[in-house]
Amino acid sequence: MFYPGDARALIREVDELLGRAGATAPRVGFPKAIIVPHAGYIYSGGVAASAYDAVRPARGIVERVVLLGPVHRVPVRGLATVSDQSFATPLGEIPIDREALDSLADLPQVVVSDAAHAMEHSLEVQLPFLQKTLGTFKLAPFAVGMASVAEVARVLERLWGGPETLIVISTDLSHYHAYDEARRIDGETISRIAAFATDLDHDEACGATPLNGFLQIAKDRRLSLKVLGACNSGDTAGGRDRVVGYSSFGLYEGAEPSPEEAGRTLIALARNAIEKSLFQEKALPADAPWLGQWGATFVTLTLEGRLRGCIGSLEAVRPLGVDVAENALGAAFRDPRFPRLAAGEWPRCRVEVSLLSAAKPLEFADEADLLAQVQPGVDGVILECDGRRSTFLPQVWESLPDKRAFLAELVKKADLPADTRLTRCRISRYRVAKFRE
């Protein structure tokens, strides 16, 4: 009822929603928790996608998702779990974390109700997004009925864990007000959520019960909060007479490294990988927690100011620390444009590391529309056509500032005919955080 039942159609829709979440600057770290809406994807999928896009780097780190949403069909006293061993979507099965649920056996507010979960969309709509962004994980689901702030917070405290655990709170905002009135009400509610209020009512947020309990523990643990998206059904696929409000938030635990610290660490890892190969230097430990997040990097070597090698990843498929080390070795020893780096060259080389955001496809009507959207000096661009692909980092704009010339060189780099129409091509863009020695 809330998303396509066909796996291919569902993948396409979720990918499109994540793709439209916008090309944002890459971020080191990922949320400990997200607050997301739960309407049909046509209504609130874009707002939800803005939160799940922030979770992408957690792939390979998060092993358990604790998911709380309000009951809509079956009344419950407390927080209802399930007796099932797994949940299933068109994208596959998700194992239930029985060990986590068994650890709550002594809490009287935790009950078992398969009926409460059977048709509960507030939980169901989150699962395909989680499957696409995280891959493999175990699920601890709770359909929340009547419960106090303390009862919800106690469950979350018990399951809080470390970076291997992601908390997801499912809630919409106001229901069935006129558009302008809903914007006013929801704006006030968003401000109250950002202030960690724990007395929200169900007219403000239908998931107020799990949300209040979560905000209590988030406040106690001093999490930081970022508003990631907000709109209502009048902005997406409905009329404006009676609308439903949606918002998404990311909540972050602990201090993230500064850009300067992240840059120093990534450059040190890149240099160490090359020196280990050249001189059998001892491997530098990649023990900072954020290096375990999945990330995509490019490593560029220059020799006395001239390019000496550049190799990278366009998609995050492995831990960030591993990616930068492997790409450093690639730039030094496997770039087909250059011979292997010699030990005598190394003292005159400089290292640059670019950390990429997820690439987002551009939708354009014609070449003029594409040229209007591309941002020189900001966008890295990927061009794909007829099974060929090429990319330029944003740094390339320094030598190719003209948009037409930039795209023409991308076509040439992809080994496509010079007269290839850009409207035949798939064009995506990404942003980078650039670190130089």
Side-chain angles (χ1 to χ4, degrees):
M1 293 173 61
F2 288 82
Y3 55 69
D6 175 73
R8 285 180 294 182
L10 179 56
I11 289 171
R12 185 167 56 250
E13 182 163 0
V14 173
D15 283 345
E16 288 175 357
L17 290 167
L18 291 169
R20 291 201 297 266
T24 56
R27 183 182 183 126
V28 174
F30 54 87
K32 172 63 182 178
I34 55 174
I35 301 169
V36 284
H38 55 238
Y41 288 174
I42 191 174
Y43 296 104
S44 67
V47 173
S50 64
Y52 286 109
D53 191 52
V55 169
R56 284 183 194 258
R59 191 183 184 100
I61 299 176
V62 167
E63 301 171 354
R64 174 175 67 190
V65 175
V66 179
L67 173 60
L68 281 72
V71 293
H72 286 83
R73 298 174 183 272
V74 177
V76 169
R77 172 63 183 95
L79 294 82
T81 65
V82 291
S83 63
D84 301 289
Q85 297 301 311
S86 65
F87 280 179
T89 79
L91 305 187
E93 292 195 355
I94 304 170
I96 299 298
D97 193 338
R98 300 304 326 172
E99 182 179 354
L101 299 184
D102 291 346
S103 73
L104 306 172
D106 62 314
L107 299 182
Q109 69 268 38
V110 177
V111 299
V112 176
S113 175
D114 292 337
H117 284 267
M119 297 290 290
E120 186 45 66
H121 68 276
S122 72
L123 306 181
E124 180 184 2
V125 298
Q126 313 304 339
L127 302 182
F129 274 117
L130 290 165
Q131 288 172 298
K132 284 294 294 179
T133 52
L134 296 180
T136 302
F137 61 93
K138 291 183 178 181
L139 183 69
F142 297 89
V144 183
M146 295 177 59
S148 69
V149 170
E151 286 174 330
V152 174
R154 181 79 182 278
V155 171
L156 288 171
E157 183 69 47
R158 186 77 64 89
L159 298 181
W160 193 260
E164 82 291 340
T165 299
L166 173 72
I167 310 293
V168 179
I169 306 297
S170 176
T171 184
D172 294 336
L173 298 182
S174 68
H175 283 57
Y176 309 134
H177 297 281
Y179 181 85
D180 290 337
E181 178 69 0
R183 282 177 55 87
R184 181 190 66 78
I185 294 170
D186 293 342
E188 293 174 356
T189 302
I190 288 169
S191 295
R192 283 178 25 85
I193 293 171
F196 297 91
T198 59
D199 61 347
L200 297 161
D201 63 43
H202 294 91
D203 290 330
E204 296 173 285
C206 62
T209 301
L211 180 58
N212 285 333
F214 167 71
L215 289 172
Q216 180 63 63
I217 192 171
K219 181 178 180 180
D220 292 344
R221 288 177 169 267
R222 299 183 180 277
L223 270 62
S224 59
L225 180 148
K226 182 178 180 181
V227 180
L228 300 174
C231 74
N232 65 48
S233 57
D235 299 309
T236 53
R240 294 196 168 191
D241 293 336
R242 300 173 76 243
V243 305
V244 178
Y246 315 117
S247 62
S248 62
F249 304 80
L251 291 98
Y252 297 83
E253 186 174 45
E256 297 178 4
S258 66
E260 294 76 17
E261 179 187 352
R264 286 193 299 270
T265 300
L266 292 174
I267 288 173
L269 284 173
R271 291 193 67 89
N272 177 253
I274 296 170
E275 290 170 354
K276 184 173 180 290
S277 180
L278 287 173
F279 311 116
Q280 287 73 55
E281 293 285 340
K282 184 179 179 181
L284 188 69
D287 51 6
W290 57 271
L291 289 171
Q293 75 175 60
W294 281 29
T297 64
F298 269 71
V299 176
T300 303
L301 302 182
T302 56
L303 176 63
E304 297 177 341
R306 299 185 304 276
L307 181 65
R308 183 58 180 83
C310 181
I311 293 291
S313 309
L314 288 173
E315 298 176 1
V317 296
R318 55 191 173 186
L320 179 56
V322 174
D323 193 73
V324 74
E326 287 297 319
N327 288 335
L329 293 173
F333 306 118
R334 297 192 293 270
D335 189 327
R337 299 169 294 179
F338 301 95
R340 288 174 59 88
L341 183 72
E345 295 176 291
W346 181 237
R348 294 174 288 145
C349 286
R350 293 293 177 266
V351 178
E352 177 179 297
V353 176
S354 297
L355 176 62
L356 278 62
S357 71
K360 306 298 177 69
L362 284 171
E363 298 179 3
F364 53 96
D366 50 31
E367 184 173 321
D369 187 18
L370 172 62
L371 292 171
Q373 293 186 53
V374 173
Q375 299 183 52
V378 176
D379 289 339
V381 180
I382 303 169
L383 181 145
E384 298 171 272
C385 186
D386 296 338
R388 301 181 181 276
R389 181 168 76 166
S390 62
T391 188
F392 281 150
L393 295 170
Q395 294 91 306
V396 176
W397 288 104
E398 296 172 10
S399 57
L400 285 170
D402 180 79
K403 293 182 181 182
R404 292 185 185 276
F406 184 95
L407 292 169
E409 286 299 314
L410 260 185
V411 169
K412 181 179 178 181
K413 185 179 181 183
D415 199 23
L416 291 164
D419 61 354
T420 298
R421 297 193 308 274
L422 292 175
T423 50
R424 291 184 54 237
C425 302
R426 175 183 169 90
I427 309 289
S428 304
R429 64 177 168 187
Y430 55 89
R431 306 286 168 83
V432 306
K434 182 175 64 176
F435 308 108
R436 280 179 177 163
E437 290 187 296

